[in-house]
Amino acid sequence: MGGKYRVTGNTYPRMRRPRNRRKLVLSATAAVVALGLAGWGTLQIVDVFTGSDEQANAADRPKTCPSPKASAPAKALPKPAAIKVNIYNATPRSGLAKAAADELKKRGFAIGKVDNAPAAYDKKVTGTGLLLGAPTAVNGSFPVLATQLPGALRKTDARRTADVDLIIGAKFKAFSTPAAAASALTALTRPAPAPSACS
């Protein structure tokens, strides 16, 4: 350029760049977020050391427990009159099978054979007794008859009839009392409801 607009000297005029507004907005946003996080962190630390009102309210609230599950349906077990019991004496004491048969008959059981135990079991039953029957007796006749003689062993064989053998063992002294047997039978047919998980 010439004339009065001619530039002279070593210094040139420089135009100032316009400020970048985007950077300003981002910087301001970052500052606000940082302050918010710092404040939230401070509140969390205070709650940890002093305990929050929500925890106190939760402690004051009564516990709500789920309703107990409905008890299992009653088991369909045979009545004593429907159970035919053969009674065998595997001990040296005479007359024991007859006395046991008379007692079980009074309690409503049907009585079949009454005799000394066969050679396979004679003087070989060391406990109070042994219940012997078909596999179907495991969940039917055995539990009912066992209420009269707790602790009797149970064993199945290949028979197809519904009768059950009661082989009296060396430790037999007496049957359960009628009241105890009835209570045990009730417990079998009407299981107690499951306990609640809340104390």
Side-chain angles (χ1 to χ4, degrees):
M1 283 188 201
K4 61 178 182 179
Y5 296 106
R6 184 178 180 182
V7 177
T8 60
N10 297 326
T11 304
Y12 294 92
R14 298 185 179 180
M15 300 296 291
R16 187 175 181 184
R17 296 173 113 187
R19 293 182 179 177
N20 194 338
R21 291 183 181 178
R22 185 176 295 175
K23 287 184 179 179
L24 287 176
V25 171
L26 289 176
S27 299
T29 303
V32 170
V33 170
L35 287 174
L37 289 174
W40 180 79
T42 303
L43 287 175
Q44 294 300 314
I45 292 173
V46 170
D47 282 345
V48 166
F49 288 102
T50 61
S52 64
D53 291 339
E54 291 180 2
Q55 291 175 346
N57 291 338
D60 293 338
R61 269 191 233 117
K63 292 182 180 179
T64 56
C65 299
S67 59
K69 294 180 180 178
S71 59
K75 294 182 181 179
L77 294 174
K79 300 289 184 184
I83 301 174
K84 183 179 180 181
V85 186
N86 304 313
I87 302 175
Y88 299 102
N89 182 8
T91 74
R93 292 176 282 171
S94 60
L96 198 55
K98 177 70 168 61
D102 291 343
E103 182 60 30
L104 286 182
K105 187 174 182 179
K106 290 179 186 176
R107 300 185 184 198
F109 289 88
I111 305 301
K113 297 177 182 178
V114 179
D115 204 347
N116 291 324
Y121 296 102
D122 191 27
K123 299 179 180 63
K124 295 176 183 177
V125 179
T126 57
T128 57
L130 173 66
L131 303 181
L132 189 63
T136 54
V138 171
N139 295 317
S141 302
F142 280 178
V144 176
L145 189 54
T147 61
Q148 310 299 321
L149 187 60
L153 296 177
R154 305 175 193 187
K155 184 178 178 182
T156 60
D157 57 16
R159 78 180 71 186
R160 295 186 179 182
T161 55
D163 60 326
V164 178
D165 296 345
L166 169 57
I167 303 174
I168 299 172
K171 292 184 180 179
F172 176 83
K173 292 182 180 178
F175 291 114
S176 298
T177 63
S183 177
L185 185 59
T186 301
L188 282 175
T189 55
R190 298 177 186 175
S196 172
C198 297
S199 57

